[in-house]
């Protein structure tokens, strides 16, 4: 159901970006939105507010205190205590799920706004001609900043595909080899996986074979962000730079560490039906490794 929900929302947004519409495309738009609303409950527990999470935590703590008091007051045998402990954990888990589900919602402006897309398109035309941002006027001083504004939003106007770019170096002078990186991030499989990758994927470079011990000694540079160029929908000469972040266990903007999700190619296009050989996975590290004999660094 989760994939169906995400697919409906993506299809809705792609359809909404059309520059011109027919009655049929508007029907598609409404159908995709209806599919999203019929399946969105699968993500409802993640829509909990901070207040809801705090209330849920307090309710669980109170329940566990009552359970502990009841256990201490009982004269049950060790076997019955173990069975009761399992039931108590299930009860706490059920309370958490019910509290998050009952007190979470999708009632916020950005979701509600989508219900008006079809009517507005019929009255005013395609949505790409409009913006939800507050305009800053048409004065010459504001127009002078238009190119800087596009750059700040990660937009690039070019017929050529912009290059991928790594930024935000991590572990400077602390992690210098694959062995250091493997130990720092507790990735025991890293060197073996790299050696297998080079052995099995020879379509980009000449076949390269390295043992795990050799791979452990290769120098690396670790980064926290990779900017990937993605084409803007229905605009052949415009690209958007999408950031993917992996902070190596460090906090990101005074919050928890980042390990972004990405689609990882794990087979050919005939695998996994509509996913075309891709599966979702977390980015554990972004780094460049320098292999002896190669002029350029290999980005992994």
């Amino acid at each position: 159901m989760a994939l169906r929900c995400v697919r409906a929302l993506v299809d809705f947004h792609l359809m909404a970006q059309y520059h011109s519409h027919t009655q049929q495309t508007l029907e598609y738009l409404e159908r995709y939105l209806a599919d999203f609303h019929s399946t969105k409950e699968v993500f409802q527990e993640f829509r909990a507010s901070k207040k809801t999470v705090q209330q849920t935590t307090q309710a669980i703590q109170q329940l566990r205190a009552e359970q502990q008091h009841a256990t201490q007051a009982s004269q049950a045998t060790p076997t019955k205590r173990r069975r009761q402990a399992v039931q108590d954990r299930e009860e706490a888990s059920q309370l958490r799920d019910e509290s998050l589900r009952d007190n979470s919602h999708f009632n916020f402006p950005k979701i509600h706004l989508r219900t008006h897309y079809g009517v507005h398109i019929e009255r005013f035309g395609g949505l790409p001609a409009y913006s939800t941002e507050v305009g800053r006027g048409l004065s010459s001083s504001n127009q002078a900043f238009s190119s800087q504004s596009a750059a700040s939003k990660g937009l690039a106007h070019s017929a050529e595909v912009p290059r991928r770019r790594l930024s935000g170096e991590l572990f400077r002078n602390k992690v210098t080899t694959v062995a250091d990186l493997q130990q720092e991030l507790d990735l025991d499989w890293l060197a073996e996986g790299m050696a297998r990758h080079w052995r099995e994927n020879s379509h980009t470079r000449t076949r390269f074979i390295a043992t795990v011990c050799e791979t452990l000694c290769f120098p690396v540079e670790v980064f926290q962000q990779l900017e990937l160029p993605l084409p803007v929908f229905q605009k052949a000469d415009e690209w958007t730079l999408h950031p993917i972040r992996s902070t190596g266990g460090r906090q990101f903007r005074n919050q928890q560490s980042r390990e972004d999700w990405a689609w990882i190619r794990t087979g050919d296009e005939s695998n996994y039906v509509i996913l075309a050989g891709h599966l979702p996975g977390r980015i554990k590290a972004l780094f460049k490794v320098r292999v002896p004999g190669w002029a350029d660094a290999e980005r992994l």
Side-chain angles (χ1 to χ4, degrees):
M1 184 179 288
L3 283 177
R4 181 183 170 188
C5 178
V6 173
R7 180 180 179 181
L9 188 60
V10 170
D11 288 342
F12 174 83
H13 277 280
L14 291 176
M15 189 65 65
Q17 294 179 57
Y18 278 21
H19 288 270
S20 60
H21 286 270
T22 64
Q23 190 60 39
Q24 186 177 18
T25 60
L26 292 177
E27 291 175 359
Y28 285 148
L29 193 72
E30 297 296 337
R31 189 177 69 189
Y32 294 146
L33 184 60
D35 286 345
F36 165 73
H37 283 299
S38 66
T39 56
K40 67 184 180 183
E41 63 181 15
V42 70
F43 294 111
Q44 187 158 336
E45 63 178 289
F46 303 106
R47 285 295 309 159
S49 63
K50 292 182 179 179
K51 183 178 180 180
T52 298
V53 173
Q54 185 178 7
Q55 292 175 345
T56 301
T57 301
Q58 293 175 351
I60 291 176
Q61 290 175 348
Q62 182 179 356
L63 175 64
R64 287 176 176 171
E66 295 174 356
Q67 292 172 343
Q68 186 176 5
H69 178 74
T71 301
Q72 292 174 352
S74 67
Q75 301 296 327
T77 63
T79 301
K80 290 184 177 180
R81 285 175 179 264
R82 286 194 294 269
R83 292 176 181 174
Q84 186 62 42
V86 173
Q87 295 177 1
D88 290 346
R89 286 195 296 269
E90 292 177 351
E91 186 179 359
S93 177
Q94 184 178 1
L95 174 63
R96 174 189 174 277
D97 294 342
E98 291 179 353
S99 178
L100 292 178
R101 183 174 61 252
D102 295 341
N103 297 288
S104 303
H105 60 81
F106 284 85
N107 185 22
F108 57 97
K110 287 187 176 180
I111 288 293
H112 174 75
L113 184 63
R114 285 156 177 76
T115 61
H116 299 285
Y117 278 18
V119 176
H120 285 187
I121 289 173
E122 286 184 322
R123 294 182 61 187
F124 306 113
L127 295 181
Y130 303 93
S131 173
T132 58
E133 297 180 0
V134 177
R136 295 189 297 176
L138 298 176
S139 64
S140 58
S141 60
N142 286 332
Q143 290 177 356
F145 291 99
S146 60
S147 60
Q148 296 182 8
S149 176
S152 66
K153 295 178 182 178
L155 297 177
H157 298 271
S158 174
E160 299 181 358
V161 181
R163 295 190 60 182
R164 294 181 298 173
R165 183 176 62 181
L166 288 165
S167 61
E169 188 171 355
L170 296 173
F171 311 121
R172 187 188 295 270
N173 300 325
K174 181 180 180 181
V175 173
T176 58
T177 65
V178 174
D180 295 336
L181 179 61
Q182 184 169 282
Q183 182 178 3
E184 180 69 26
L185 300 183
D186 194 23
L187 303 175
D188 297 337
W189 46 266
L190 181 61
E192 182 179 354
M194 292 169 61
R196 184 173 64 252
H197 167 77
W198 285 323
R199 187 168 58 249
E200 296 176 355
N201 296 273
S202 59
H203 56 279
T204 56
R205 295 180 182 271
T206 57
R207 181 175 293 275
F208 175 77
I209 298 178
T211 65
V212 174
C213 292
E214 292 173 336
T215 303
L216 287 170
C217 299
F218 291 161
V220 297
E221 297 175 69
V222 189
F223 300 86
Q224 71 172 2
Q225 178 172 294
L226 171 65
E227 291 184 347
L228 289 177
L230 300 176
V232 176
F233 185 64
Q234 291 190 339
K235 295 183 180 179
D237 61 343
E238 190 170 322
W239 303 81
T240 179
L241 299 177
H242 179 74
I244 296 178
R245 297 185 176 96
S246 179
T247 59
R250 296 186 175 184
Q251 286 188 332
F252 180 74
R253 296 176 180 172
N254 296 324
Q255 296 184 9
Q256 62 182 0
S257 61
R258 290 284 295 269
E259 288 182 355
D260 288 356
W261 288 88
W263 289 106
I264 310 298
R265 181 182 292 276
T266 60
D268 56 41
E269 294 186 356
S270 62
N271 294 341
Y272 314 126
V273 195
I274 196 172
L275 299 181
H278 294 77
L279 288 177
R282 284 191 179 275
I283 303 298
K284 292 294 184 180
L286 295 168
F287 61 95
K288 292 193 298 186
V289 58
R290 297 195 176 276
V291 180
W294 289 3
D296 301 325
E298 178 80 350
R299 300 179 181 182
L300 296 172

